[in-house]
């Protein structure tokens, strides 16, 4: 038994163990560096995606506002021909815009008058049956 214990703790076995532990520590350092590098790259990608998302959101907000304002300008001219479908589309744009503003805590003060012009025009077209499809007999 003493011989087995001495053989187990011989200088040769201790050297092999030390060599193995050195190799394991080297792998651990390599993996640790790899994880740090991947984490940094992931952070860079995440930052780029966040910036892209912010820009896309800003484009959505601006595009929605522009569409609503442009349509309000169109319908403010009472001689301009408009269809129910155009109103339905702009109402959907407005609804998505409003939901987005609520979700992202964005103040909506830029299109209130434009939307009021649109709703008044819609009510006027309903009242007078003056949509394009009404004037052409498609309803």
């Amino acid at each position: 038994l003493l011989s087995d214990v001495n053989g187990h703790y011989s200088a040769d076995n201790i050297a092999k163990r030390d060599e193995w532990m050195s190799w394991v520590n080297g792998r651990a350092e390599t993996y640790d560096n790899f994880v740090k590098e991947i984490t940094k790259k992931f952070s860079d990608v995440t930052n780029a995606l966040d910036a892209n998302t912010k820009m896309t959101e800003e484009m959505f907000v601006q595009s929605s506002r522009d569409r609503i304002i442009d349509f309000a300008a169109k319908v403010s001219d009472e001689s301009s021909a408009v269809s129910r479908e155009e109103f339905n589309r702009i109402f959907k744009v407005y609804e998505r815009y409003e939901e987005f503003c609520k979700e992202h805590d964005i103040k909506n003060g830029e299109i209130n008058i434009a939307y009021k012009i649109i709703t008044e025009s819609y009510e006027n077209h309903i009242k007078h049956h003056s949509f394009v499809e009404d004037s052409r007999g498609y309803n």
Side-chain angles (χ1 to χ4, degrees), residues 96-136:
R96 277 185 264 141
Y97 171 76
E98 280 293 314
E99 288 173 8
F100 185 86
C101 287
K102 286 177 186 174
E103 289 173 6
H104 293 85
D105 197 28
I106 296 171
K107 183 179 178 185
N108 173 20
E110 294 190 26
I111 62 167
N112 294 339
I113 293 172
Y115 191 70
K116 185 174 182 176
I117 291 168
I118 292 168
T119 57
E120 287 174 357
S121 177
Y122 182 76
E123 290 168 6
N124 190 35
H125 282 288
I126 292 271
K127 184 177 178 180
H128 295 100
H129 302 285
S130 57
F131 293 107
V132 169
E133 53 270 32
D134 293 331
S135 64
R136 297 207 176 175

Side-chain angles (χ1 to χ4, degrees), residues 15-34:
K16 286 180 183 178
R17 185 203 64 203
D18 288 346
E19 183 180 319
W20 177 79
M21 288 182 70
S22 177
W23 179 85
V24 168
N25 286 338
R27 293 291 79 184
E29 287 177 23
T30 299
Y31 293 144
D32 187 49
N33 290 336
F34 178 73

Side-chain angles (χ1 to χ4, degrees), residues 72-91:
K74 179 180 179 179
V75 299
S76 66
D77 176 7
E78 293 180 14
S79 65
S80 178
V82 290
S83 68
R84 274 190 182 89
E85 183 58 31
E86 289 178 284
F87 279 99
N88 289 336
R89 286 183 182 185
I90 210 67
F91 291 147

Side-chain angles (χ1 to χ4, degrees), residues 40-58:
K40 184 188 178 323
K41 286 181 182 178
F42 180 74
S43 176
D44 293 345
V45 168
T46 301
N47 291 338
L49 288 173
D50 289 345
N52 187 30
T53 300
K54 183 175 171 52
M55 186 181 355
T56 303
E57 289 172 348
E58 289 171 1

